[in-house]
Amino acid sequence: MRILLTNDDGVYAPGLRALRSELQKIGEVIVVAPAGEQSAVGHSITLLTPLLIQEVLDENNKPMGWAVEGKPADCVKLALLELLKEPPDLVISGLNAGSNAGINVLYSGTVAAAIEGAFFRKTSIAVSLEYTKPKPLDFSHAAQLARNVIEQILDHPLTEGSLFNVNIPSLEKGPIRGIRVVPQNLAAYKEKFDRRVDPRGRVYFWSGADFHCPDPHVDTDVTALADGYITVTPLQFNLTHAAALEAMRAWKWH
């Protein structure tokens, strides 16, 4: 099995390196990832500047793949259209530092990279690790859990372009309680901005770190993750509102 591995934390991120080691147990892994951190860039792509690439070596000084001066979606496009000699069987994005559940899915560069893989009709899986404390994360253990989930997904017949979002709960909470297949939470998040003034008297804002969902819908990725479960959510990128589409067809247009 040929696996394309990418992320939004950057090609040198410890989560990517840990997941690469685990994925090598099930196939050949080629990395094409951003040269630097691209968290929360969503599905943006680069149009007005060149996409510089550089070959990257692993810890044994052997070729690992490429670093791209671009966004996560750029990396997948470039990998599939230019860099890989043979198409991959699977696209994996992660292992992200921080969960991508609920409406965070819409902002996530990690998920966007997986969606890009699905555009190209490749089975694609985004994998993220929740953290609850500002301390080093146990990416090694999380990567083992991620591989287990990925292997179980692949054990089933999948249609072309199947897309999944996987979240692993913070390992600080204790033992994993299991795996749950749940929908994406759609409840609003609570956000704050820290208002400040620079030395020249100009007002600026920092996005606050307190970004949480105070009233999530039950039985969703947010609630299951909070309860200590690994969550698996099948996604689609068709944004058409089917019910509204049918209703609007009956409108009188002129």
Side-chain angles (χ1 to χ4, degrees):
M1 173 180 289
R2 290 184 300 276
I3 303 170
L4 169 62
L5 177 61
T6 190
N7 71 350
D8 73 356
D9 288 332
V11 72
Y12 299 106
L16 181 141
R17 298 300 177 110
L19 187 54
R20 175 177 179 265
S21 295
E22 287 297 319
L23 292 176
Q24 285 177 317
K25 298 175 182 179
I26 62 175
E28 174 191 4
V29 181
I30 302 173
V31 173
V32 183
E37 184 169 340
Q38 297 289 332
S39 294
V41 300
H43 212 114
S44 59
I45 57 174
T46 303
L47 296 178
L48 302 180
T49 57
L51 292 168
L52 302 177
I53 67 169
Q54 182 175 353
E55 191 168 13
V56 177
L57 303 179
D58 65 13
E59 58 277 3
N60 297 314
N61 287 322
K62 294 183 179 180
M64 183 176 82
W66 290 270
V68 178
E69 295 283 352
K71 307 294 191 293
D74 291 323
C75 294
V76 177
K77 285 181 185 292
L78 208 56
L80 297 179
L81 296 176
E82 296 289 342
L83 296 177
L84 301 189
K85 294 180 180 179
E86 296 182 75
D89 303 298
L90 178 66
V91 176
I92 301 293
S93 183
L95 177 67
N96 190 66
S99 64
N100 281 301
I103 62 170
N104 283 347
V105 168
L106 301 175
Y107 303 116
S108 169
T110 302
V111 176
I115 293 173
E116 191 67 34
F119 284 170
F120 284 86
R121 312 301 296 166
K122 305 297 179 185
T123 295
S124 302
I125 306 172
V127 191
S128 304
L129 170 62
E130 179 191 33
Y131 64 82
T132 54
K133 295 182 180 180
K135 62 180 296 184
L137 301 178
D138 189 352
F139 285 115
S140 178
H141 183 194
Q144 295 174 19
L145 296 170
R147 176 174 61 84
N148 173 54
V149 175
I150 291 168
E151 287 181 315
Q152 291 186 69
I153 291 173
L154 297 178
D155 280 342
H156 297 81
L158 303 173
T159 60
E160 285 188 343
S162 293
L163 175 63
F164 304 92
N165 185 36
V166 175
N167 281 284
I168 298 171
S170 170
L171 302 177
E172 298 286 336
K173 296 177 179 178
I176 300 297
R177 297 181 64 185
I179 301 172
R180 292 195 60 196
V181 177
V182 285
Q184 175 189 352
N185 179 69
L186 300 178
Y189 275 63
K190 181 179 179 181
E191 301 180 65
K192 290 183 179 180
F193 287 92
D194 186 3
R195 187 181 191 274
R196 301 184 184 184
V197 180
D198 76 8
R200 291 179 172 81
R202 297 173 298 188
V203 175
Y204 68 98
F205 295 88
W206 273 108
S207 178
D210 185 20
F211 186 78
H212 68 280
C213 187
D215 190 24
H217 299 136
V218 297
D219 292 327
T220 60
D221 53 2
V222 170
T223 56
L225 193 63
D227 287 339
Y229 289 92
I230 294 173
T231 66
V232 181
T233 303
L235 300 178
Q236 62 181 7
F237 47 79
N238 182 354
L239 300 181
T240 304
H241 192 312
L245 180 68
E246 289 304 312
M248 291 175 68
R249 282 174 173 164
W251 294 3
K252 294 184 182 298
W253 296 94
H254 58 83

